[in-house]
Amino acid sequence: MLHRRIFFLYLFILFSGIFAQKNDHLEHDDEDEPRSINRIQPSINSENKLSAYNRGNNNDNQQPIVDQSRVRPPLETNRRSSSSTPLASSNECKFDVQKYCNRGSQQLLSNLKVLQCVDDLDNAVNLISKECQHLIYKFKYNMTLDPRFDDAAERQCSKDLKVFDECKGHIGKSGTGRLVTCLYDFLPNITESSCRYFIKQMQAVIFNDWRLIEHFADACMNDIKSLECGRLDDENEAIPHEQGAVISCLSQKYNKLGQQCRKEIFRLAEMQSDDYHLDRALYYACRDDRERLCAQVSSGNGRVYRCLYDQKFNSMMSPACRKEVHRRQSLVVADVKLDVPLTRACRNEMLEHKCIIDPVEGDQKSSLVKLLLCLEDTLKRGYHIQDECRREMLVHRRMLMSDYELSPELQSECKMEMVQYCPSLFQQGVSGTIDQRGGRMIHCLLAAARKEKAFGKRCLSVVNSLVRAVDPGSDIRADPLLETACRPVIDTLCPRMKSGDSNVILCLLDNLKNSRMTEDCEDRLMEVAFFLARDWRLTPRLLRTCRNNLESFCQLPKDWSMNQDISGLQVGMYLGCLYQQRQQLDKECRSELKRIMHIRTQSIGLMPEIEDNCLTDLATCKNPEIKGEEFKCLQKKYNKLEEQCKAAVRNFTQMTMSDPTLDFLLMKACEPMIQLFCGNVEGGNENYLIRCLIKHKNEQQMDFRCKAGIDHHQITSMKDEAFLSQQFRKKCIQEINEHCLGRKTKAGVIQCLADLMLRDVLKKENQITEVCRDELKFELLQRSESIDFDPSLAKTCRQDIQRFCSARTPGNAQILDCLKDNQNKVSTACYAKLRKREKLDVILPENDYSLMSKCAIIIQKFCSNDKKQNILSCLRRNINQDAMPNLCRRVLYHRLMVLNSDARFNQGLIDNCQRDINKYCQSEVVNNDDDDDKDSNEDDADVNDNDTEINDRKDNVNNNKNNNDDNDDDEVTDRKMGGRIIQCLRSKYSDTSITLESQCVSELVDVIQTSKLDVKLDVKLYQSCRKFLKSECTGMDQEDCLKLLYQKNRIDDDTCKEQIKRIVREGQADIHVDRALAFACQADVLKYCNDIPIGSGKQLKCLLSMGKSVTSQCQAILQKRQELWESVSNVQGVADLTEHIRKSNNSFYLFSVILLILCIMFMAGCICRPYVRYSRVRKYK
């Protein structure tokens, strides 16, 4: 500190010429440099006002700086005069110094102490006498032109002057003050501490009045006059010039100044940037505000400025201070070099990355915006920026985002938009009040750009540039209004999140649909997110984590820049590219990509590639069921979307189908259900989660919102071939390419592969691989759960659903079961498609949702070891188990009824009885009725949208007609053909004179035994004898009841009689089809007839031949059956005999024999007639 004491002693002698008294060795000698500066700087305050006094009362000195050579002689005299007597003992100031500065002390104050005292004195311009003010002004003015200042500068800064070539020209020109001014310009580069200290102390003198600043008066005098920036305290100019007022006025109108004056204004502002005391207008306007709002902030390095910037919209700040703060900010925005703390903190980065910050004529971007964009560009590219520079950037980002008036390009390009969309915040020609700003106008423009199609492109470009420069996505503190609106949410949902690195903004977006998210916070957040989502450079953390992957896999250009305007569609393009390459991405990038994709699904506004392409279609989704479900609405209307929108929706839906975790609405609705049912699901396979949810969606504990979300996911997946999951496509790619190319919908592909799988089973081929078969089974099981998942069937059967199943709901296979129950009543086109589904159900029952879900307990308990294709047989064997639920039994009865009533569904019967069918039942076969070689094309039926007019009968009729025209393979020539074939085979089986092939007999026995489980399974019998079953046979075995009624001759319906005769003859043909007889004689069959083949009544004949050797129980039932058989075998008259002969398979033979006998009799009569006649004549004679 010794050199400082010596230097200050020298400076004091230089100022006053008298230092006889020691003045306590200058109190500030022991303090550090900044405090010394702050103590000297306030001495500026009152001196500026003395200049006006000097101009008003000394006409000789009215323009002392304009021509210094002319005024120097008298000034030198004044200097000598002023130097000879200290200010404290001068006649002009003695009284004022004693009154306001000595505070009772008799000690003589130094000149600097007097200057400091007067500068700190409130209202000094009115308290200090005019004579004293004039003396102080002359003293300070003389200081600026004293040769000893230049001489001192040469001595103190000798080393630095050797380096600064610009200042060498001023060496030796003492008394001009230009050497000190030049050195100040290079203050950041000065290395000598004594030199730096000397220059900083001089600031107090330089800023005391605009007329004391070199070149300023010459450069700005015309602008002062033309812009009327002269400032006097009264009309008579009696009171000295107000400090800093002229500079303040000119800086407010800097855009109207001449080039030289503007340069001087900017230079002064740059010199003032370290300490707010140096900006006299701001200092005086904000002294009280500084004490009130920034009392804990120390002066120096622009800290008070920063505090005042931050408090600009505090209601406690005075209007005068707010006005000066705004003026200061405007200068910094226009030329960022004026903010020395910012340029000093970021100097290295600016030099390294060549950030151009000088204002350019015609360039819309302000100097501050260009610097921020350059530094943001540096950050995004992964370069390091020092913490101090980042803090300064944050201050200025907040400043830009808080007040639209700080951005001249925003005011000029967006004036119309402000008037049109933000009238309450801006009136044409009049700026909104300070209270109406605080970032509200900017957010109003953000909201308008998001919602209004007619928003101006030039304004949008400026707003985009501002958002890029501020980048609130990286740090929410950069947007004061957003931070204020979301503070309660942040404190609740993101309390531990550190500011910066996009932590808070990502947390808020993650919780966008959280119940604790406030509407105000969501609105402000979406306004900002709208722009963040449209610029991949602003997408939080994307560049930091995925830049290398973007360059490697997605051809990200290496010359990208934050200064460039880009299309919002590029975001979706790059994200889609990354998602397609997600398996090859870095772990950090893959994790961040999934998080970004998850956030984007929360709102359509976060997906510009969809929102921008679907503006027209979104207009129809203005009021979805729940806010935020606009994308769900687009998916529902998928087939009616415009092509451009449809492509965008397809691309994103394709990703959500492959990875359901990207479906935000689904995940939000199903989060508790996932924990309940799918907590152990591994994340390795992207389809495991959705499959788990689908499997449990009909559980009683399943939340209805989650179930609705799963249904929507499944319905949407059927609408386009692109929605096939990657897992399905990978495992079935060969089959799809070979057999199903050209199918436009997933439903079409599924049906194509289902036809292929059915053909494999029927013809014992192997065109579809086992891995593909497993995937297809899951899809078919889904389809059979709801009519909504089968758009082709739903469209074709729409009228029939209305007619027969209007009270049923789509899920849990209710409508499908209803259609199957009424299959004989539905329309032809509906029956054709329904028949295909039923055939698949009975041949491959593992794809039958209704059967597999309602019989799950029985299947697991009794049929777990059976092959999937044998499930029906297993269930039939266990149909009388007490554990079998009624719902399962009901579904099983229907499936068995289908097998028993239509041979076309019973492939085993068709295969094993084909020869017998050709031999005995060929007349019942209708050619080309059941051609499974044809593939059905169901792509035309993919328009099953919820908004379709269900009641439009005309449209439905046309649809059915078109469907029939397009799908000739689905035509059914004769619905009852399959039933007639079974009846024919059963009749041949019951005829003991006919021997069917053994494998056919086994199949027929199976069919007949199945029909004995319930009389309803014997469709012909039940339909013919329904009247008697309901009136006479309740509470007992219904078949035995009908047989007893027939035996008692109480059946008066011929059709019913024929059916009863049929079942009696079937029992006569084989003991196993008569349950009562088989049960009673089971032991005897095993004992005596076990080696006798079944069929043709052989085992029954064996038992009858045993006579009384069989058990009494078997004898009794045999006796009853013999009586029944006799009643059935009796022929009632010639007509009955003729009918029996006609129905016989040997009817032609029998009729031929009878005819032959008749012919023989006729011929015999003809031959014998003459002899008879001769005999009669002879006898007569």
Side-chain angles (χ1 to χ4, degrees):
M1 300 300 289
L2 181 60
H3 70 281
R4 290 189 179 180
R5 296 179 183 179
I6 296 173
F7 169 72
F8 195 81
L9 181 61
Y10 169 78
L11 189 62
F12 178 75
I13 295 172
L14 186 64
F15 283 168
S16 61
I18 299 176
F19 271 92
Q21 295 89 353
K22 289 295 183 179
N23 292 322
D24 297 329
H25 295 281
L26 304 175
E27 293 174 3
H28 49 283
D29 285 351
D30 295 331
E31 298 188 16
D32 59 3
E33 182 177 329
R35 293 207 39 176
S36 176
I37 296 172
N38 292 337
R39 185 168 296 166
I40 298 298
Q41 286 168 344
S43 66
I44 304 166
N45 187 14
S46 59
E47 300 114 29
N48 204 350
K49 301 181 181 179
L50 288 170
S51 62
Y53 182 83
N54 181 64
R55 185 180 63 182
N57 296 283
N58 298 296
N59 294 328
D60 293 339
N61 297 331
Q62 205 164 9
Q63 293 180 339
I65 302 177
V66 175
D67 190 353
Q68 294 173 1
S69 62
R70 257 184 284 168
V71 298
R72 181 160 299 169
L75 285 174
E76 289 176 354
T77 305
N78 289 338
R79 266 201 311 270
R80 287 191 296 267
S81 172
S82 61
S83 302
S84 60
T85 305
L87 293 175
S89 59
S90 65
N91 294 328
E92 293 88 344
C93 295
K94 181 177 182 180
F95 176 77
D96 292 316
V97 170
Q98 289 179 352
K99 183 176 181 181
Y100 299 112
C101 302
N102 273 8
R103 299 179 182 178
S105 173
Q106 298 300 319
Q107 189 176 15
L108 185 66
L109 296 179
S110 67
N111 287 345
L112 291 181
K113 286 289 186 179
V114 172
L115 294 179
Q116 180 181 354
C117 170
V118 173
D119 191 50
D120 289 338
L121 186 63
D122 288 337
N123 201 20
V125 70
N126 294 319
L127 297 177
I128 303 297
S129 66
K130 295 176 183 177
E131 293 78 7
C132 182
Q133 289 186 42
H134 183 59
L135 180 62
I136 292 174
Y137 174 77
K138 287 195 298 182
F139 173 78
K140 299 178 85 174
Y141 183 82
N142 291 337
M143 287 171 59
T144 62
L145 300 177
D146 195 316
R148 286 174 291 181
F149 274 97
D150 294 324
D151 296 339
E154 289 183 35
R155 285 192 297 271
Q156 298 296 328
C157 305
S158 57
K159 293 182 181 179
D160 291 300
L161 283 173
K162 295 177 182 179
V163 180
F164 305 142
D165 295 334
E166 292 83 350
C167 300
K168 290 180 180 179
H170 303 302
I171 298 176
K173 297 179 180 180
S174 301
T176 63
R178 294 183 179 179
L179 182 59
V180 175
T181 303
C182 181
L183 285 170
Y184 183 84
D185 290 337
F186 290 94
L187 180 62
N189 299 324
I190 291 177
T191 57
E192 292 182 272
S193 58
S194 59
C195 179
R196 180 184 295 272
Y197 183 69
F198 172 78
I199 298 300
K200 285 187 175 182
Q201 294 289 7
M202 286 300 300
Q203 291 179 128
V205 178
I206 293 174
F207 287 105
N208 75 328
D209 190 273
W210 63 272
R211 289 172 299 177
L212 300 180
I213 303 167
E214 183 193 12
H215 301 312
F216 181 82
D218 292 334
C220 293
M221 185 57 68
N222 292 333
D223 293 297
I224 292 173
K225 293 178 180 179
S226 62
L227 298 176
E228 299 180 353
C229 284
R231 293 291 181 269
L232 298 175
D233 285 309
D234 62 14
E235 295 179 357
N236 298 322
E237 303 184 359
I239 301 177
H241 196 283
E242 185 179 296
Q243 293 191 31
V246 173
I247 297 174
S248 173
C249 173
L250 292 174
S251 60
Q252 288 178 14
K253 303 175 182 180
Y254 70 90
N255 56 338
K256 299 179 182 180
L257 300 179
Q259 185 175 359
Q260 286 300 116
C261 184
R262 184 185 300 180
K263 180 180 178 182
E264 291 297 326
I265 285 290
F266 283 174
R267 178 171 169 273
L268 287 176
E270 181 181 352
M271 296 167 69
Q272 297 166 346
S273 59
D274 262 333
D275 197 320
Y276 90 112
H277 292 90
L278 303 181
D279 191 330
R280 306 309 295 168
L282 186 144
Y283 169 67
Y284 269 95
C286 296
R287 280 188 301 177
D288 294 338
D289 300 276
R290 185 248 200 268
E291 295 299 326
R292 183 167 55 250
L293 302 175
C294 306
Q296 304 301 320
V297 180
S298 58
S299 299
N301 201 30
R303 286 185 289 268
V304 176
Y305 283 134
R306 306 295 185 263
C307 177
L308 292 174
Y309 292 169
D310 201 43
Q311 299 293 331
K312 179 179 178 181
F313 296 107
N314 191 319
S315 58
M316 296 177 64
M317 178 173 281
S318 64
C321 179
R322 184 178 290 117
K323 179 180 177 182
E324 290 301 322
V325 169
H326 179 75
R327 172 188 61 80
R328 180 77 195 178
Q329 289 177 322
S330 299
L331 289 176
V332 171
V333 171
D335 190 347
V336 73
K337 289 188 297 184
L338 308 187
D339 197 312
V340 174
L342 171 62
T343 54
R344 182 190 300 130
C346 302
R347 179 181 299 276
N348 294 334
E349 289 79 3
M350 292 167 62
L351 293 174
E352 181 179 355
H353 301 286
K354 301 177 181 178
C355 295
I356 301 174
I357 59 176
D358 293 324
V360 179
E361 194 71 26
D363 188 358
Q364 268 196 333
K365 292 186 178 69
S366 64
S367 176
L368 177 60
V369 168
K370 287 195 291 187
L371 175 60
L372 290 176
L373 285 174
C374 178
L375 295 175
E376 289 288 344
D377 194 83
T378 302
L379 270 176
K380 300 294 184 184
R381 291 181 182 276
Y383 295 103
H384 176 69
I385 289 186
Q386 298 177 1
D387 292 341
E388 185 180 359
C389 180
R390 291 194 184 203
R391 284 193 294 269
E392 289 295 328
M393 288 173 62
L394 178 60
V395 169
H396 291 81
R397 288 158 61 191
R398 283 179 64 88
M399 184 177 78
L400 282 175
M401 201 66 183
S402 64
D403 193 346
Y404 74 96
E405 285 198 334
L406 294 179
S407 304
E409 63 273 19
L410 198 65
Q411 294 186 71
S412 61
E413 298 296 342
C414 296
K415 185 174 182 180
M416 293 300 298
E417 284 75 10
M418 292 180 191
V419 174
Q420 184 175 356
Y421 302 120
C422 310
S424 61
L425 300 177
F426 183 88
Q427 298 175 358
Q428 191 168 5
V430 181
S431 298
T433 64
I434 290 293
D435 294 334
Q436 291 174 319
R437 296 180 200 164
R440 290 181 180 85
M441 174 63 79
I442 293 177
H443 268 272
C444 178
L445 290 174
L446 298 182
R450 175 188 172 199
K451 298 175 182 178
E452 303 296 338
K453 295 182 183 179
F455 197 85
K457 292 183 178 180
R458 296 180 65 178
C459 178
L460 182 62
S461 176
V462 172
V463 173
N464 263 317
S465 178
L466 177 63
V467 173
R468 288 202 306 275
V470 174
D471 193 10
S474 63
D475 194 334
I476 195 174
R477 294 174 299 178
D479 189 340
L481 185 61
L482 176 61
E483 183 184 22
T484 303
C486 293
R487 177 50 58 190
V489 182
I490 295 172
D491 293 340
T492 304
L493 300 176
C494 315
R496 298 181 180 179
M497 291 292 175
K498 294 182 179 180
S499 299
D501 198 24
S502 305
N503 292 324
V504 177
I505 201 82
L506 285 173
C507 176
L508 290 174
L509 289 172
D510 273 334
N511 293 279
L512 191 61
K513 301 303 179 183
N514 193 293
S515 57
R516 297 186 179 182
M517 172 65 68
T518 63
E519 185 176 356
D520 188 32
C521 176
E522 182 178 354
D523 290 342
R524 302 293 82 75
L525 185 61
M526 291 306 300
E527 289 162 5
V528 171
F530 174 84
F531 288 88
L532 302 185
R534 280 159 175 75
D535 194 332
W536 52 267
R537 299 166 297 184
L538 300 181
T539 302
R541 294 185 186 170
L542 178 65
L543 271 177
R544 182 172 64 82
T545 57
C546 298
R547 189 177 70 256
N548 293 334
N549 297 120
L550 282 169
E551 293 175 353
S552 303
F553 302 119
C554 305
Q555 288 75 49
L556 177 69
K558 294 186 177 182
D559 60 345
W560 63 268
S561 169
M562 291 295 290
N563 282 297
Q564 299 170 345
D565 289 333
I566 63 171
S567 169
L569 300 180
Q570 291 185 18
V571 180
M573 180 183 69
Y574 284 127
L575 290 178
C577 170
L578 288 175
Y579 185 80
Q580 291 176 358
Q581 304 291 335
R582 61 190 180 280
Q583 300 301 332
Q584 305 177 47
L585 301 180
D586 301 336
K587 183 178 180 181
E588 186 180 9
C589 177
R590 185 163 58 247
S591 174
E592 199 59 43
L593 173 67
K594 189 164 186 177
R595 181 175 185 177
I596 292 171
M597 299 293 288
H598 171 74
I599 290 173
R600 281 162 56 86
T601 61
Q602 298 186 56
S603 173
I604 196 74
L606 299 178
M607 295 183 282
E609 65 275 16
I610 295 176
E611 185 178 36
D612 296 347
N613 285 317
C614 297
L615 293 176
T616 304
D617 295 300
L618 279 172
T620 63
C621 295
K622 283 288 186 181
N623 298 307
E625 293 84 351
I626 301 175
K627 182 181 178 182
E629 293 192 359
E630 293 87 355
F631 185 68
K632 185 176 180 180
C633 173
L634 291 176
Q635 288 178 325
K636 288 181 179 180
K637 300 175 181 291
Y638 179 77
N639 293 297
K640 293 185 176 182
L641 300 178
E642 295 179 350
E643 283 304 317
Q644 194 175 9
C645 177
K646 190 174 184 178
V649 173
R650 181 192 301 118
N651 292 337
F652 194 82
T653 304
Q654 190 174 2
M655 289 188 284
T656 61
M657 291 299 161
S658 298
D659 188 357
T661 58
L662 298 179
D663 190 335
F664 171 77
L665 293 176
L666 178 64
M667 291 299 102
K668 181 183 179 184
C670 294
E671 184 176 0
M673 300 300 103
I674 293 173
Q675 296 176 359
L676 179 62
F677 297 114
C678 311
N680 296 325
V681 173
E682 298 180 1
N685 190 306
E686 56 192 9
N687 275 348
Y688 285 173
L689 180 60
I690 191 64
R691 292 191 175 192
C692 174
L693 290 173
I694 291 172
K695 180 180 178 181
H696 294 92
K697 77 171 186 176
N698 289 309
E699 299 278 354
Q700 290 184 351
Q701 295 172 289
M702 175 61 68
D703 181 77
F704 73 94
R705 298 183 209 60
C706 180
K707 185 178 185 302
I710 299 170
D711 286 343
H712 174 74
H713 181 93
Q714 292 177 278
I715 293 171
T716 303
S717 71
M718 293 294 171
K719 296 184 177 182
D720 199 305
E721 181 270 342
F723 299 159
L724 285 167
S725 68
Q726 288 192 0
Q727 179 176 328
F728 184 93
R729 194 181 297 277
K730 180 179 179 181
K731 293 186 177 181
C732 296
I733 186 65
Q734 180 179 347
E735 291 81 357
I736 293 174
N737 291 337
E738 290 181 2
H739 303 281
C740 305
L741 279 179
R743 303 303 170 103
K744 298 178 182 178
T745 65
K746 178 181 176 181
V749 174
I750 296 300
Q751 185 58 46
C752 169
L753 293 177
D755 292 339
L756 185 65
M757 184 169 68
L758 189 61
R759 194 181 309 150
D760 279 357
V761 174
L762 297 179
K763 298 189 176 182
K764 296 180 175 59
E765 297 176 352
N766 194 25
Q767 298 183 74
I768 186 168
T769 61
E770 194 63 32
V771 290
C772 180
R773 193 186 303 271
D774 291 338
E775 287 295 316
L776 183 58
K777 286 177 182 178
F778 176 78
E779 297 292 345
L780 291 173
L781 193 64
Q782 286 187 65
R783 188 181 72 170
S784 64
E785 189 266 332
S786 173
I787 190 72
D788 290 338
F789 306 153
D790 195 342
S792 174
L793 182 64
K795 177 185 175 183
T796 306
C797 298
R798 187 175 295 141
Q799 286 187 1
D800 301 294
I801 293 172
Q802 278 189 290
R803 183 180 176 188
F804 303 111
C805 313
S806 58
R808 305 290 183 88
T809 56
N812 217 14
Q814 291 188 42
I815 291 181
L816 284 169
D817 285 345
C818 172
L819 288 174
K820 291 173 182 178
D821 290 341
N822 295 278
Q823 62 177 344
N824 292 323
K825 302 176 184 178
V826 299
S827 62
T828 304
C830 179
Y831 179 81
K833 288 195 179 293
L834 192 61
R835 184 174 62 85
K836 277 186 172 291
R837 308 302 190 263
E838 285 192 306
K839 190 168 188 175
L840 194 66
D841 288 345
V842 295
I843 294 177
L844 299 171
E846 69 269 28
N847 302 319
D848 185 348
Y849 176 84
S850 186
L851 181 73
M852 298 300 291
S853 61
K854 290 166 182 163
C855 299
I857 298 175
I858 299 299
I859 293 172
Q860 184 178 4
K861 189 173 183 180
F862 299 104
C863 309
S864 57
N865 295 326
D866 289 74
K867 292 183 178 180
K868 296 293 184 181
Q869 295 181 10
N870 299 329
I871 287 176
L872 273 179
S873 299
C874 174
L875 290 173
R876 187 193 63 198
R877 292 194 302 270
N878 295 278
I879 197 170
N880 291 317
Q881 294 288 342
D882 294 335
M884 178 167 284
N886 290 331
L887 286 174
C888 173
R889 186 175 284 111
R890 181 174 177 275
V891 173
L892 181 59
Y893 278 168
H894 181 272
R895 302 298 182 266
L896 295 175
M897 192 182 301
V898 170
L899 284 174
N900 286 358
S901 61
D902 196 331
R904 292 168 295 188
F905 292 107
N906 195 331
Q907 192 61 34
L909 182 69
I910 294 294
D911 292 341
N912 293 314
C913 297
Q914 189 63 53
R915 292 183 182 179
D916 294 313
I917 292 173
N918 294 336
K919 184 177 181 179
Y920 300 110
C921 306
Q922 187 61 41
S923 61
E924 307 293 344
V925 177
V926 178
N927 292 330
N928 300 325
D929 185 69
D930 190 34
D931 190 357
D932 288 306
D933 290 333
K934 295 182 180 180
D935 294 332
S936 58
N937 184 5
E938 302 192 353
D939 278 337
D940 65 322
D942 63 346
V943 198
N944 187 26
D945 292 319
N946 291 345
D947 57 343
T948 303
E949 294 288 341
I950 297 179
N951 296 322
D952 192 345
R953 291 181 174 271
K954 183 177 179 180
D955 181 59
N956 290 336
V957 171
N958 291 336
N959 286 341
N960 290 335
K961 181 179 179 181
N962 294 336
N963 188 70
N964 295 338
D965 294 340
D966 294 340
N967 300 297
D968 293 335
D969 58 298
D970 285 340
E971 288 291 346
V972 179
T973 307
D974 189 349
R975 294 192 193 186
K976 298 182 179 180
M977 182 193 75
R980 289 199 304 271
I981 292 174
I982 287 182
Q983 291 298 318
C984 173
L985 289 173
R986 289 180 71 164
S987 66
K988 304 307 174 188
Y989 170 76
S990 62
D991 189 345
T992 56
S993 63
I994 298 175
T995 302
L996 301 176
E997 293 186 358
S998 58
Q999 64 268 26
C1000 182
V1001 170
S1002 299
E1003 291 293 336
L1004 282 173
V1005 169
D1006 194 37
V1007 170
I1008 296 170
Q1009 286 181 339
T1010 300
S1011 67
K1012 303 303 178 183
L1013 296 174
D1014 192 311
V1015 70
K1016 294 180 180 179
L1017 298 179
D1018 194 332
V1019 180
K1020 290 290 185 181
L1021 176 65
Y1022 181 73
Q1023 290 177 348
S1024 301
C1025 302
R1026 184 181 302 176
K1027 178 177 67 173
F1028 301 102
L1029 289 170
K1030 290 184 177 180
S1031 60
E1032 303 288 344
C1033 300
T1034 56
M1036 59 185 298
D1037 187 288
Q1038 293 183 314
E1039 275 200 11
D1040 285 344
C1041 172
L1042 289 174
K1043 293 175 183 178
L1044 185 60
L1045 290 174
Y1046 177 81
Q1047 198 170 2
K1048 293 179 179 180
N1049 211 14
R1050 294 172 59 182
I1051 302 295
D1052 55 4
D1053 187 293
D1054 293 339
T1055 308
C1056 182
K1057 281 183 180 181
E1058 291 301 319
Q1059 292 301 320
I1060 295 174
K1061 288 179 182 180
R1062 174 182 58 79
I1063 63 174
V1064 171
R1065 291 192 184 102
E1066 288 173 353
Q1068 190 177 4
D1070 198 320
I1071 188 174
H1072 295 286
V1073 299
D1074 189 333
R1075 289 189 299 170
L1077 183 60
F1079 181 76
C1081 300
Q1082 183 177 7
D1084 299 292
V1085 171
L1086 293 174
K1087 185 176 181 180
Y1088 302 113
C1089 311
N1090 194 35
D1091 56 340
I1092 305 298
I1094 63 173
S1096 301
K1098 295 176 182 178
Q1099 287 188 344
L1100 188 58
K1101 290 177 182 179
C1102 172
L1103 286 176
L1104 291 173
S1105 66
M1106 291 295 103
K1108 295 184 178 181
S1109 298
V1110 298
T1111 61
S1112 57
Q1113 183 181 6
C1114 182
Q1115 287 183 29
I1117 195 71
L1118 277 173
Q1119 184 178 356
K1120 291 181 179 179
R1121 289 296 182 261
Q1122 284 178 314
E1123 294 174 359
L1124 182 61
W1125 295 332
E1126 289 175 0
S1127 64
V1128 172
S1129 63
N1130 291 336
V1131 177
Q1132 305 293 333
V1134 177
D1136 195 14
L1137 176 62
T1138 305
E1139 185 66 18
H1140 276 78
I1141 295 174
R1142 188 185 66 80
K1143 291 183 178 180
S1144 172
N1145 291 327
N1146 299 318
S1147 58
F1148 179 76
Y1149 171 76
L1150 293 174
F1151 280 119
S1152 299
V1153 171
I1154 293 173
L1155 183 61
L1156 179 62
I1157 293 173
L1158 291 174
C1159 289
I1160 292 173
M1161 291 175 65
F1162 177 76
M1163 293 296 295
C1166 290
I1167 294 172
C1168 295
R1169 184 177 179 183
Y1171 294 102
V1172 172
R1173 184 177 180 185
Y1174 175 77
S1175 176
R1176 287 179 180 175
V1177 171
R1178 186 179 178 185
K1179 185 177 180 180
Y1180 176 74
K1181 290 180 176 181

